[in-house]
Amino acid sequence: AGRVVEARRLWQRFNGIAGEDRELLRDPAFAADGPPPPFGWALTSGAAGVAERAPGGGLAILHFGREPVMLARQLLILPAGGYRLRAEFTQAPESGRLEWRLQCVTGAGGASVPADARPREIAASAACPGYW
């Protein structure tokens, strides 16, 4: 229903996360004991690919190249403005095969940029209550 702030408060209470929550991105290191979805990472495994937490932190991705697939997502509450996305890779992804996507929960508006070793810029709108 677009009530993302209220949903996060309930998620915090249910998961024992006390106090005011100011984190924009939860568990950026993909820790083994990271918080559950939707405000923690939801990782996908299926016929198109696999995403799983790597031992010691990080994310291991295997994409079979058969079809596009979302392998990891998290629900974010982002104040309007620009954001810089940065990732480190043990093996550089093939050009054009991996991207960051920001999609409003209402389905209106979104953006995508390549995910590679270069920092990328992406913007959030004040009109969107939350982003995947």
Side-chain angles (χ1 to χ4, degrees):
R3 296 173 15 214
V4 182
V5 172
E6 181 182 350
R8 185 162 73 178
R9 273 196 295 269
L10 292 170
W11 176 86
Q12 282 179 246
R13 190 170 64 203
F14 182 78
N15 287 288
I17 299 170
E20 190 174 346
D21 184 14
R22 294 186 183 269
E23 289 188 60
L24 297 178
L25 177 67
R26 289 213 170 260
D27 189 22
F30 294 92
D33 61 347
F39 297 99
W41 289 110
L43 305 179
T44 302
S45 296
V50 176
E52 50 191 22
R53 289 174 166 82
L59 182 66
I61 294 175
L62 180 59
H63 180 243
F64 304 122
R66 296 183 189 120
E67 59 191 59
V69 63
M70 179 181 48
L71 294 171
R73 82 176 191 168
Q74 185 176 135
L75 186 54
L76 307 172
I77 298 173
L78 300 174
Y83 293 88
R84 176 169 282 192
L85 304 170
R86 183 179 60 83
E88 296 175 12
F89 296 91
T90 55
Q91 181 178 347
E94 186 179 327
S95 181
R97 302 275 293 174
L98 190 61
E99 65 184 11
W100 299 104
R101 287 189 181 179
L102 198 58
Q103 178 65 50
C104 186
V105 296
T106 64
S112 64
V113 295
D116 53 28
R118 297 184 347 202
R120 300 294 182 157
E121 303 287 331
I122 202 160
S125 166
C128 182
Y131 285 94
W132 288 111

